[in-house]
Amino acid sequence: MKICKVCFKNIDNECFINDLFGVEQHDLCYSCFLKMELLLKEERILGNKIFILLKYNGFIKELIYKFKGLYDIELKNIFLEYFQNLISDKYQGYTLTFAPSSKEDDFIRGFNHVREMFSFWKGDKIDCFYKKIKFKQSDRNHLQRQKVANEIGLNIESLNGVKKLLIVDDIVTTGNTIKACVDLVKKYKNIKIKILAVCSVK
């Protein structure tokens, strides 16, 4: 028996979802999926085009807190499982990298939450960004957020041979972190860059 990892109801009788989204198996029932507010659109934030899948509503906020804050790795697939084929087709040929996270938080959690969300990705993956100091954008004021560019580093060697780069993040708030990442890459490399966010608070 297949159980939804959010509401714990039986989803064995929802095989039509597999055909609809081209997903071989799923961990989220259709009722819970409907609680997500789909955006599936590109928005320009701080001069960068970002393709956003979901709106950061109360349901998503609670799920990300359980996954990221309470370390429930069983939830890793529920955010993107319906979009795996869309993402794989749309960004075919891109090398995937992740917005920087705190190594300390990853160590305590036991995993990098964004990397786990994108564990389905079959293409190349690299870790090219890192935080010089531990910080959380959502806890900062406007002035502090503007200084994020000085607190993110780039492993330039990791970009050797990369022609197309897909930067992914879980939540876009102000867009300052993404802008800092893009500016860093453009400073050293002439690479085609795309940006994908799981959700946006805007």
Side-chain angles (χ1 to χ4, degrees):
M1 180 181 294
K2 187 70 173 177
I3 302 296
C4 175
K5 291 191 175 181
V6 174
C7 69
F8 305 108
K9 293 181 180 178
N10 182 10
I11 56 177
D12 279 347
N13 60 348
E14 296 185 350
C15 295
F16 72 93
I17 302 178
N18 297 13
D19 297 329
L20 183 63
F21 291 93
V23 179
E24 294 183 3
Q25 60 181 9
H26 50 279
D27 295 320
L28 187 71
C29 71
Y30 192 57
S31 296
C32 288
F33 173 73
L34 291 177
K35 295 178 182 179
M36 297 181 175
E37 292 183 59
L38 274 63
L39 291 178
L40 299 178
K41 67 177 183 178
E42 195 170 64
E43 294 187 2
R44 186 175 288 276
I45 302 175
L46 296 183
N48 292 300
K49 292 181 180 179
I50 305 176
F51 191 79
I52 302 167
L53 298 171
L54 304 167
K55 187 171 180 60
Y56 188 63
N57 61 15
F59 181 69
I60 292 295
K61 181 178 181 180
E62 181 180 356
L63 291 181
I64 288 182
Y65 172 69
K66 288 179 179 178
F67 174 50
K68 183 178 176 179
L70 299 181
Y71 318 147
D72 188 354
I73 197 170
E74 287 295 317
L75 299 177
K76 70 175 188 174
N77 293 325
I78 64 172
F79 303 96
L80 300 180
E81 63 181 3
Y82 290 110
F83 311 114
Q84 290 179 12
N85 290 332
L86 168 68
I87 294 170
S88 297
D89 291 344
K90 183 177 177 63
Y91 301 106
Q92 186 175 8
Y94 279 79
T95 296
L96 185 146
T97 194
F98 311 92
S101 65
S102 166
K103 289 184 178 180
E104 180 182 341
D105 287 342
D106 288 349
F107 178 78
I108 294 172
R109 191 183 298 119
F111 59 90
N112 177 283
H113 62 290
V114 182
R115 177 177 281 275
E116 292 298 330
M117 284 182 177
F118 285 86
S119 58
F120 68 89
W121 183 262
K122 294 182 174 60
D124 293 334
K125 297 178 186 176
I126 59 173
D127 289 304
C128 61
F129 303 111
Y130 60 92
K131 288 183 176 181
K132 297 178 181 178
I133 61 171
K134 181 180 177 179
F135 65 86
K136 186 178 178 182
Q137 282 289 79
S138 58
D139 292 338
R140 301 178 134 197
N141 60 39
H142 178 74
L143 183 60
Q144 290 172 324
R145 288 176 177 179
Q146 307 308 306
K147 298 178 180 180
V148 68
N150 299 321
E151 300 163 346
I152 294 176
L154 172 68
N155 295 316
I156 302 173
E157 295 80 8
S158 67
L159 294 171
N160 290 341
V162 175
K163 299 187 183 325
K164 297 192 295 185
L165 186 69
L166 174 61
I167 303 173
V168 298
D169 202 357
D170 58 343
I171 307 168
V172 171
T173 49
T174 63
N176 282 298
T177 298
I178 290 295
K179 183 178 186 306
C181 292
V182 172
D183 290 347
L184 267 175
V185 173
K186 288 183 175 179
K187 181 178 179 181
Y188 297 102
K189 297 283 186 177
N190 183 20
I191 294 175
K192 183 176 182 180
I193 300 172
K194 295 281 187 179
I195 307 163
L196 172 65
V198 177
C199 55
S200 171
V201 299
K202 293 183 177 294

